Amino acid sequence: MEIKVVRRVLAANEAVAAENRAVFAEKGIFVINLMSSPGSGKTTTLEKAISRIAPSIPTAVIVGDVCTTNDAKRLARAGVPVVQITTDEFGGDCHLAAHVIKAALAQIDLDSIHFLVVENVGNLVCPAEFDIGEDLKGVVLSVTEGEDKPLKYPQMFRVCSFALVNKIDLLPYLDFDKDAALANIRAVNPAMEIFEISARTEQGLDTWIRWLEDRVRAKRRGR
Amino acid sequence: MEIKVVRRVLAANEAVAAENRAVFAEKGIFVINLMSSPGSGKTTTLEKAISRIAPSIPTAVIVGDVCTTNDAKRLARAGVPVVQITTDEFGGDCHLAAHVIKAALAQIDLDSIHFLVVENVGNLVCPAEFDIGEDLKGVVLSVTEGEDKPLKYPQMFRVCSFALVNKIDLLPYLDFDKDAALANIRAVNPAMEIFEISARTEQGLDTWIRWLEDRVRAKRRGR
């Protein structure tokens, strides 16, 4: 019974995600949906990446949290439009659903942007289930979280096209087996594009940014 | 409509949680429900704590994951009975519900234990909503996750009676403002019992263990 209800919610979500996707295609906007555990470093990563991307590619951000608007304030420092969603208003949802994104899009001038970044609620489980109409899903895995997370949260790692292995500046102080972590990611998703980064020291950030920018430009050319 | 469905699920959960609570009262078993983000160090903390507690207080563990039985294997090293729940079987649930705990209890000899530890699914959102009949809820916050988590996930910090601030051995390598983190915890929950620990170096672990053992013994005396 509970499972039937969940299926109905997901089917309704797919329909709205398809509407969002049609809008993004028409406007030529490339969209990523970035997910992770709480505290993996999504906001710091985006703050640093967007301040490098925005001068050449007009960008906007939608950021989801259960509560507080701290992340929106931090991301606004990158000088781009930011829409904060606090899911408290939607019953404390643990993920961003397509209809919530659709409502947020009304607050963005879609003709003026080429790239839209969605920072999802910090949660390795539920957001993986909800398509929002994005081009690519990505997951941030902090090296402080342990090597086993891809195996323990396989759905998340399966639906994502890229993974940012973050906080690599802390590797000397941890018992973290990076090769095992990468092998676990590939065991769940052999096609995953993996970027090793430190948002704090900015190591590895440029490689990921170039990869993203290529995809933003390809979508605009393909219109 | 969606919210009504959720309320019905929670009301059904409360009824089963009350049944569990009655069983724990009758048997004189003290029960904690430990929650956190993925990768905060719940399993390592429990592995070390339970191996110290079990020689004097008969203990069992129920551990929940979406997938894999790695944690059960690790916890079994502490030499206590461990029941692994993989919520994949229950539709990939992102939390442990009371009926899942009830089913797991059938696999434990309840007359032979005084202390039951439930390690919940790694998730700072959903598990906070689901009472399982426990005496105390606790949350593990790793210092690598940032100071703001209590404000961003207030429901979790509101429902918990104790917080373990973990991985303090990493403080010298992080931009983590511990005083701000503690203030954020107290802003959400002024009555929170806070323990600063490192599961890896075992610093601070004994203070938490003694606090727990006092509560286990008090419940047995109170029967």
Side-chain angles (χ1 to χ4, degrees):
Chain A
M1 180 61 190
E2 203 180 329
I3 288 174
K4 269 189 205 153
V5 172
V6 171
R7 285 212 187 110
R8 216 154 52 217
V9 170
L10 287 176
N13 186 73
E14 289 302 318
V16 182
E19 291 176 38
N20 291 348
R21 189 164 275 122
V23 170
F24 299 142
E26 187 209 327
K27 303 285 185 185
I29 302 170
F30 183 78
V31 183
I32 65 167
N33 177 7
L34 198 62
M35 300 174 281
S36 79
S37 298
S40 67
K42 283 188 301 303
T43 308
T44 305
T45 303
L46 289 176
E47 208 183 323
K48 303 239 177 142
I50 290 169
S51 64
R52 294 185 192 197
I53 293 171
S56 55
I57 294 177
T59 299
V61 182
I62 296 173
V63 54
D65 279 302
V66 179
C67 216
T68 82
T69 57
N70 298 345
D71 285 357
K73 285 176 201 147
R74 288 170 59 194
L75 289 164
R77 287 186 219 144
V80 299
V82 177
V83 179
Q84 170 89 51
I85 297 164
T86 52
T87 65
D88 256 5
E89 297 158 33
F90 299 90
D93 271 1
C94 51
H95 59 274
L96 295 178
H99 70 278
V100 174
I101 297 298
K102 186 182 174 183
L105 292 178
Q107 297 177 55
I108 298 173
D109 176 7
L110 298 176
D111 290 316
S112 76
I113 62 166
H114 298 181
F115 184 34
L116 176 65
V117 177
V118 177
E119 180 184 341
N120 217 309
V121 178
N123 182 337
L124 273 185
V125 189
C126 320
E129 304 272 355
F130 286 81
D131 188 7
I132 56 173
E134 72 282 83
D135 292 281
L136 292 183
K137 291 180 167 72
V139 59
V140 183
L141 173 68
S142 154
V143 296
T144 61
E145 294 170 38
E147 305 84 5
D148 57 343
K149 296 303 163 291
L151 304 181
K152 291 178 74 174
Y153 302 89
Q155 171 74 357
M156 176 60 77
F157 286 81
R158 212 171 279 136
V159 300
C160 285
S161 306
F162 67 91
L164 306 179
V165 177
N166 191 22
K167 307 195 190 180
I168 56 170
D169 57 301
L170 293 176
L171 283 174
Y173 315 113
L174 302 171
D175 310 317
F176 181 83
D177 182 342
K178 198 181 71 180
D179 291 339
L182 299 181
N184 288 341
I185 293 175
R186 298 213 188 281
V188 174
N189 184 349
M192 185 84 92
E193 295 273 358
I194 303 175
F195 300 90
E196 299 177 25
I197 66 165
S198 163
R200 185 163 67 157
T201 68
E202 310 197 9
Q203 189 186 338
L205 216 51
D206 272 335
T207 310
W208 177 54
I209 289 172
R210 276 197 301 274
W211 183 85
L212 277 180
E213 289 179 338
D214 286 349
R215 274 147 192 80
V216 176
R217 294 200 176 100
K219 183 159 182 179
R220 288 201 79 76
R221 280 197 306 271
R223 278 204 298 170
Chain B
M1 179 62 188
E2 203 179 328
I3 288 173
K4 267 189 207 153
V5 171
V6 171
R7 284 210 188 112
R8 214 154 53 219
V9 170
L10 287 176
N13 187 72
E14 288 302 318
V16 182
E19 291 177 35
N20 291 349
R21 189 163 276 122
V23 170
F24 298 143
E26 186 208 327
K27 303 286 184 186
I29 302 170
F30 183 79
V31 184
I32 65 166
N33 176 7
L34 198 61
M35 300 175 282
S36 79
S37 299
S40 67
K42 284 188 301 304
T43 308
T44 305
T45 303
L46 290 176
E47 208 182 323
K48 304 242 177 138
I50 290 168
S51 65
R52 294 186 193 197
I53 293 170
S56 55
I57 295 177
T59 299
V61 183
I62 297 174
V63 54
D65 279 302
V66 179
C67 218
T68 81
T69 56
N70 298 344
D71 285 357
K73 285 176 201 148
R74 288 170 59 195
L75 289 164
R77 286 187 220 145
V80 300
V82 177
V83 180
Q84 170 90 50
I85 297 164
T86 52
T87 65
D88 255 5
E89 295 159 32
F90 300 88
D93 272 1
C94 51
H95 59 273
L96 294 178
H99 71 278
V100 175
I101 297 297
K102 187 182 174 183
L105 291 178
Q107 297 178 56
I108 298 173
D109 176 7
L110 298 176
D111 291 315
S112 76
I113 63 166
H114 300 180
F115 184 34
L116 176 65
V117 177
V118 178
E119 180 183 340
N120 217 308
V121 178
N123 182 337
L124 274 184
V125 188
C126 320
E129 305 271 355
F130 286 81
D131 188 8
I132 56 173
E134 71 282 84
D135 292 281
L136 292 181
K137 291 180 167 73
V139 58
V140 184
L141 173 68
S142 155
V143 296
T144 61
E145 294 170 36
E147 306 84 4
D148 57 342
K149 295 304 163 293
L151 304 181
K152 292 177 73 172
Y153 302 89
Q155 169 75 357
M156 176 58 77
F157 286 80
R158 212 171 280 135
V159 301
C160 284
S161 306
F162 68 91
L164 306 179
V165 178
N166 191 22
K167 306 194 190 181
I168 56 170
D169 57 300
L170 293 176
L171 283 174
Y173 315 113
L174 302 172
D175 311 317
F176 180 82
D177 182 342
K178 199 182 71 180
D179 291 338
L182 299 181
N184 288 341
I185 293 174
R186 298 214 187 282
V188 174
N189 184 348
M192 185 83 93
E193 295 272 358
I194 303 175
F195 300 89
E196 299 177 24
I197 66 165
S198 163
R200 187 163 66 157
T201 67
E202 310 196 10
Q203 189 185 338
L205 216 52
D206 273 334
T207 310
W208 176 54
I209 289 172
R210 276 196 301 272
W211 182 85
L212 277 179
E213 288 178 339
D214 286 348
R215 273 147 193 81
V216 176
R217 295 200 177 100
K219 182 158 183 179
R220 287 200 80 76
R221 280 197 305 270
R223 277 205 295 171

